[in-house]
Amino acid sequence: LDGRGYISESDLMTSAAMQILDILSCVSAALILSGGYKRSLNQHLVSAKGEAEQCSCQFATLESVHLDPPDITSVFEKSDAWSSKVSELAGRGVTVRELLTFYRELKAVMPHFRASVHTTHDVVRHAIIPLTKHKRSSYVQAFGDQSCRPSKMVTHWWGNRFVDLIAAVVADALEESSYGLVSRLLQKDIDVIERMVYRCDKLDDCYWICAFCVNQHAAICDKNHEAKDSLTGLPHPLCDCGLPKYYDGDECEMNKFDEMMAFLAARDPKFCQVVAVDSDFGVFTRAWCMAEVAQASYLGITTQMRLRDKEGLIRTGARLRDLDVREMKASRVEDVELILAKIPDKDAFNASLQSLIFDHRSGLLAAWRDLDSSKQMGEAGRLLFWTSADSGSGVVWKCWDF
């Protein structure tokens, strides 16, 4: 309650109740005036076929529609080993169920994990690499559901908080536009999240996430590039698994993302990209992330943004106007050079990136600013839907950003 202006939990509940009553009165009036009350509420929650309850609060989305499937001939024009590695990478995926289980059990392998501090990079070094050392493989190969085929690829920055990465994926599965609430609930009561995902029948949704799908032992595990733990300040541990490292060539798993995306998109016309945007929008400064965004645009893959909250977007919006792909960063200088070589017209790419963020019709800022009355009504329903999953504990009220 500290910092929110409430003295006690009863004050919070009273205030929240008054706000929800106000919202519901506005919604009721709008429904009566519009005739919307004549529609069955069940059509929004349960389909005629008795499917699980569905969520429908999605915006901040940019779609690039293509008529023809992406050309993947380049995948097979290279060596058999190269093509085999592309196909192998495309076959790896991690489910929402597996991500939540990993998060729930994280402290067992990383006792000092602190959700408010530790990044994805920290978790890869302290948990994913140690857990997979015995197999010298990716996390998915060691522990994942081998039948999982990714329908979405998550573009994210390893410098973002790990809890926010998981929250962004869960928010995407639940079709939530922002992941702030999910992030807070993951830190307070993961059971609520699991109940919501189960209710929406999204536990087995499959995602391609580099931290889990790439074999870290085949590249980075024995070097830390002077990176340090975000909490302790100590250098990240190194791995002595002894597996050969590949930073280029047929066996490298980090230089085939563009062809892997084409492969996945050709196999599944609904395949899309999810960009997990951190609160500081650092994802837009990372070379690998922008390379994936560029490839998605080139292939006509739908790109969906998942943001922490609208305040961060408004606060950071002005700074984003100065983004230049030529100033992007990566852990290795060679990676930046490789990625820039794949973007022939840097100025055109910069212009496209600006349009993605600032276009007055489809840009991210426009999506947040132009919420119409129907979306506001959706927000009221969303609040009620979430509170139904906390078993009367009140944790959703405590985590809701009023």
Side-chain angles (χ1 to χ4, degrees):
L1 304 180
D2 185 35
R4 291 179 179 265
Y6 303 110
I7 299 174
S8 66
E9 184 173 329
S10 61
D11 290 340
L12 171 62
M13 297 297 288
T14 300
S15 175
M18 293 298 294
Q19 291 184 56
I20 192 59
L21 286 172
D22 182 59
I23 293 172
L24 288 174
S25 64
C26 293
V27 171
S28 300
L31 285 172
I32 292 170
L33 290 172
S34 66
Y37 65 93
K38 296 178 181 178
R39 303 173 186 173
S40 170
L41 179 61
N42 289 334
Q43 71 182 7
H44 298 291
L45 299 178
V46 183
S47 71
K49 296 181 180 180
E51 296 177 348
E53 292 171 291
Q54 299 296 311
C55 316
S56 57
C57 302
Q58 182 172 343
F59 49 94
T61 298
L62 178 71
E63 294 190 2
S64 301
V65 179
H66 56 78
L67 299 178
D68 300 314
D71 182 7
I72 60 172
T73 54
S74 63
V75 175
F76 302 103
E77 288 175 350
K78 298 184 179 180
S79 69
D80 290 343
W82 182 286
S83 301
S84 177
K85 181 59 71 174
V86 170
S87 178
E88 179 189 340
L89 284 167
R92 300 176 193 170
V94 59
T95 66
V96 176
R97 184 195 307 272
E98 291 166 341
L99 290 172
L100 290 175
T101 298
F102 177 87
Y103 182 82
R104 181 186 284 278
E105 300 174 353
L106 182 53
K107 271 188 171 292
V109 65
M110 186 178 172
H112 72 300
F113 173 73
R114 187 176 297 176
S116 61
V117 176
H118 279 119
T119 66
T120 298
H121 195 182
D122 293 323
V123 171
V124 168
R125 294 293 185 171
H126 286 284
I128 292 178
I129 289 177
L131 281 171
T132 55
K133 181 180 177 180
H134 69 293
K135 291 273 190 169
R136 303 198 302 180
S137 71
S138 70
Y139 182 87
V140 166
Q141 290 170 296
F143 303 104
D145 178 359
Q146 301 305 313
S147 65
C148 169
R149 290 295 175 265
S151 60
K152 297 183 179 183
M153 175 179 180
V154 180
T155 292
H156 65 107
W157 176 38
W158 281 26
N160 190 17
R161 297 191 314 169
F162 181 70
V163 65
D164 285 347
L165 168 62
I166 303 300
V169 174
V170 172
D172 179 77
L174 296 176
E175 299 184 13
E176 293 277 321
S177 58
S178 60
Y179 61 80
L181 173 64
V182 178
S183 179
R184 292 188 290 274
L185 284 171
L186 281 171
Q187 298 172 67
K188 292 287 187 181
D189 189 350
I190 191 174
D191 290 341
V192 174
I193 297 298
E194 290 180 335
R195 280 194 291 270
M196 283 294 292
V197 177
Y198 173 79
R199 179 177 297 182
C200 290
D201 195 24
K202 298 293 185 178
L203 281 169
D204 295 318
D205 280 16
C206 188
Y207 290 79
W208 200 96
I209 304 174
C210 61
F212 291 90
C213 296
V214 167
N215 183 1
Q216 312 301 335
H217 298 281
I220 70 167
C221 73
D222 64 340
K223 294 182 175 64
N224 60 21
H225 301 286
E226 300 183 355
K228 298 179 179 180
D229 183 283
S230 299
L231 178 65
T232 67
L234 298 175
H236 282 146
L238 301 181
C239 174
D240 59 357
C241 67
L243 193 70
K245 312 304 178 195
Y246 302 97
Y247 286 94
D248 54 32
D250 292 344
E251 295 301 318
C252 177
E253 297 192 355
M254 301 188 301
N255 62 349
K256 300 176 176 64
F257 290 171
D258 48 358
E259 286 152 320
M260 185 199 70
M261 292 172 70
F263 187 93
L264 287 167
R267 186 175 64 183
D268 180 4
K270 295 182 179 180
F271 178 78
C272 66
Q273 176 190 47
V274 176
V275 181
V277 183
D278 54 287
S279 58
D280 293 326
F281 284 67
V283 66
F284 291 104
T285 70
R286 308 307 296 180
W288 279 116
C289 297
M290 290 302 95
E292 292 169 9
V293 170
Q295 180 68 355
S297 177
Y298 173 74
L299 294 172
I301 294 174
T302 297
T303 297
Q304 300 171 327
M305 300 287 180
R306 297 298 176 220
L307 298 93
R308 182 173 176 81
D309 51 48
K310 66 179 180 181
E311 287 76 16
L313 181 60
I314 295 171
R315 181 179 64 250
T316 314
R319 181 156 54 90
L320 295 180
R321 290 193 178 277
D322 298 325
L323 289 176
D324 189 327
V325 69
R326 285 163 289 220
E327 298 176 1
M328 302 297 170
K329 301 174 183 178
S331 299
R332 300 171 67 244
V333 175
E334 298 90 335
D335 290 342
V336 176
E337 295 171 350
L338 172 67
I339 292 164
L340 288 177
K342 294 183 178 184
I343 304 177
D345 191 335
K346 278 73 171 177
D347 291 329
F349 178 81
N350 288 338
S352 297
L353 185 59
Q354 293 295 310
S355 177
L356 169 65
I357 300 170
F358 294 107
D359 185 274
H360 70 280
R361 291 187 303 272
S362 61
L364 295 177
L365 287 173
W368 281 104
R369 290 171 176 165
D370 298 337
L371 292 178
D372 57 25
S373 59
S374 65
K375 288 177 181 174
Q376 292 179 36
M377 286 190 288
E379 284 293 291
R382 170 174 167 258
L383 174 56
L384 292 174
F385 190 45
W386 272 99
T387 55
S388 70
D390 70 2
S391 301
S393 67
V395 67
V396 170
W397 289 104
K398 297 171 187 175
C399 292
W400 197 270
D401 188 14
F402 289 105

